[in-house]
Amino acid sequence: MERFIVQQFLYPAIESLSTAAQFSDQYAFRPSGSPTAAIISILQTVTHFLTDNPYVIVISLDFSKAFDTVRQSTLLDKMAQLDMPDEVYNWLVNFFSSHTHCTRYRGEVSSMSAITASIIQGSSIGPASYVVNTGDLHAVTAGNQMVKFADDTYVIIPAANVGSRQAELDNVELWSRANNLKVNPAKYAEIIFVNKRQKFVTQLPPPIQNITRVKVIKILGVTFTNSLSVAEHIQAVINSCAQTLYALRILRSHGMDDVALQTVYRSVVIAKLTYASSAWWGFASAADRQRLEAFIRRSHRCHFVPPNLPSFTELCSTADNKLFQCVINNSKHVLYGLLPPTSVASQNYNLRHRKHSLQLPSKTHHLMDSNFIQRMLYLDSY
């Protein structure tokens, strides 16, 4: 029943035209949402801001036990604003009502206490409920952007709005108090992205008090430097996969056959190497790509690579094409809003066939060309 409510009512209400804008910056727990999509959106925003700004600030925020502390009364007030039948809303009220808990210790059981917070993790209702709860958390300064993936929140501030950093943090603090969440400033991090090819030296703003400024940040499992290099991410993943190769050798010495080892290799190693590749592949240098291909060749020599496995470049290209087709063919996809409008050029000319009819964005700098959307738009136009 929970799944039915989520699929037939909650998700359609979240994705409806009247409320889509409210949830457009949340990339988790949505039918087309994923960490890859969230990273793509962050990079698209950062590189776009770098077109007109000498630097872009990204502040990574942290909430303590966010799923466990959501106030249910506040959540239900937000659900009441969604476009769903009254009987479905009443069912949700009933679902969140009358939950209790107790503690057993050394044979003794405490009295029952009412549960008035949490979205009940493990339930089918929980993930969609968290999306609804964070729907009203947005950047407060015009020109700033916020990207959310569950409780991982990133505030993106161009240099032109550098004075708004504290206002954005204060807004998150106020929102957290109103929703019974607790922020954890000790885990906040600030990184300033710059275009390393710019010819002038930029004076960076002073750090925010009590917030660590870093030069390397991990965004949803992918590591970026402040110049948007992914070399450290690729090296870290290769190191992790090298440990897996050692484990596979141990399994072979204990009698596991090559077919089983190749299955494990594809399920573990290839999955690690290609994680969110559509988001970071365009930012990988030629040296980064050579390191990845060299690791695959090393695995070949150990006979761990399944027969007919495509090259790493082909694996990434396949993932890119699959995601791009999902985006352009689904107007409710979380990345659909990043697409340019449909081309209005005359169709009277006998032009080369293209896989899309979208306008090609202007090429401004190399970082914009590294973004997933721009890469795919031009790739399908060759």
Side-chain angles (χ1 to χ4, degrees):
M1 188 61 183
E2 291 179 47
R3 294 191 184 97
F4 177 79
I5 294 294
V6 169
Q7 297 297 330
Q8 298 299 318
F9 297 102
L10 262 183
Y11 278 144
I14 291 172
E15 303 295 335
S16 66
L17 292 177
S18 61
T19 59
Q22 181 179 357
F23 303 102
S24 61
D25 55 5
Q26 175 62 266
Y27 290 83
F29 310 135
R30 297 176 63 185
S32 59
S34 66
T36 302
I39 299 170
I40 288 173
S41 180
I42 292 171
L43 296 176
Q44 177 88 6
T45 304
V46 168
T47 54
H48 173 71
F49 283 164
L50 283 174
T51 302
D52 302 314
N53 294 268
Y55 59 83
V56 176
I57 301 166
V58 174
I59 302 176
S60 172
L61 307 177
D62 181 77
F63 297 99
S64 299
K65 299 182 179 179
F67 288 76
D68 296 330
T69 60
V70 172
R71 184 183 293 110
Q72 293 175 356
S73 59
T74 305
L75 171 63
L76 290 171
D77 287 341
K78 296 177 182 181
M79 285 185 171
Q81 301 174 24
L82 298 178
D83 183 15
M84 65 175 67
D86 290 344
E87 56 269 25
V88 173
Y89 175 74
N90 292 337
W91 186 93
L92 289 168
V93 172
N94 182 268
F95 175 83
F96 284 105
S97 300
S98 303
H99 287 275
T100 58
H101 74 98
C102 64
T103 301
R104 180 191 296 273
Y105 181 70
R106 290 186 176 181
E108 299 292 330
V109 179
S110 69
S111 59
M112 293 291 182
S113 297
I115 297 176
T116 58
S118 101
I119 55 172
I120 310 178
Q121 289 194 62
S123 67
S124 297
I125 294 289
S129 298
Y130 193 81
V131 172
V132 174
N133 189 65
T134 59
D136 58 347
L137 175 59
H138 304 290
V140 293
T141 304
N144 295 347
Q145 297 289 330
M146 185 175 287
V147 173
K148 297 172 288 190
F149 188 85
D151 57 343
D152 291 306
T153 304
Y154 302 88
V155 182
I156 309 172
I157 304 172
N161 288 347
V162 64
S164 66
R165 290 181 297 172
Q166 193 58 53
E168 296 293 349
L169 295 175
D170 292 342
N171 172 61
V172 172
E173 175 70 26
L174 290 173
W175 180 88
S176 301
R177 293 176 184 174
N179 289 271
N180 200 42
L181 299 180
K182 185 178 180 180
V183 296
N184 188 358
K187 292 187 177 181
Y188 283 8
E190 178 191 51
I191 186 169
I192 300 182
F193 290 106
V194 296
N195 186 347
K196 63 181 180 180
R197 294 189 183 181
Q198 65 185 13
K199 298 181 180 180
F200 53 89
V201 177
T202 302
Q203 181 67 36
L204 301 181
I208 305 174
Q209 188 177 6
N210 299 325
I211 294 182
T212 304
R213 176 172 292 178
V214 298
K215 293 185 177 181
V216 179
I217 190 170
K218 181 175 285 188
I219 301 176
L220 301 177
V222 179
T223 303
F224 296 92
T225 67
N226 59 353
S227 61
L228 288 173
S229 167
V230 293
E232 293 195 24
H233 170 73
I234 290 172
Q235 190 59 55
V237 173
I238 288 177
N239 292 343
S240 175
C241 291
Q243 296 175 0
T244 304
L245 292 189
Y246 176 77
L248 291 176
R249 293 192 188 97
I250 299 298
L251 291 174
R252 173 178 283 161
S253 67
H254 283 74
M256 181 175 284
D257 61 79
D258 283 352
V259 174
L261 290 171
Q262 290 166 0
T263 300
V264 174
Y265 178 88
R266 183 152 200 165
S267 301
V268 178
V269 175
I270 296 299
K272 283 184 179 180
L273 292 173
T274 58
Y275 170 75
S277 62
S278 295
W280 57 259
W281 181 242
F283 294 86
S285 66
D288 295 333
R289 300 185 182 198
Q290 289 172 4
R291 284 207 301 273
L292 289 164
E293 294 291 0
F295 180 83
I296 298 294
R297 291 195 298 270
R298 174 184 167 189
S299 302
H300 262 293
R301 293 194 294 270
C302 298
H303 306 289
F304 292 141
V305 179
N308 303 319
L309 181 75
S311 68
F312 191 80
T313 299
E314 291 171 332
L315 289 171
C316 291
S317 178
T318 299
D320 285 350
N321 287 322
K322 182 178 179 180
L323 177 57
F324 188 64
Q325 289 303 313
C326 290
V327 175
I328 63 175
N329 293 318
N330 180 10
S331 61
K332 294 185 178 180
H333 196 282
V334 292
L335 294 177
Y336 190 83
L338 300 182
L339 296 175
T342 302
S343 176
V344 294
S346 171
Q347 301 298 319
N348 296 328
Y349 299 100
N350 186 20
L351 302 176
R352 183 181 303 174
H353 176 70
R354 290 170 54 186
K355 295 182 180 180
H356 64 81
S357 59
L358 302 169
Q359 294 182 25
L360 296 179
S362 301
K363 286 180 172 286
T364 53
H365 54 78
H366 75 287
L367 291 177
M368 283 294 292
D369 294 339
S370 301
N371 284 321
F372 169 75
I373 295 294
Q374 184 138 326
R375 283 193 297 112
M376 298 308 296
L377 288 172
Y378 275 94
L379 177 66
D380 285 340
S381 301
Y382 294 153

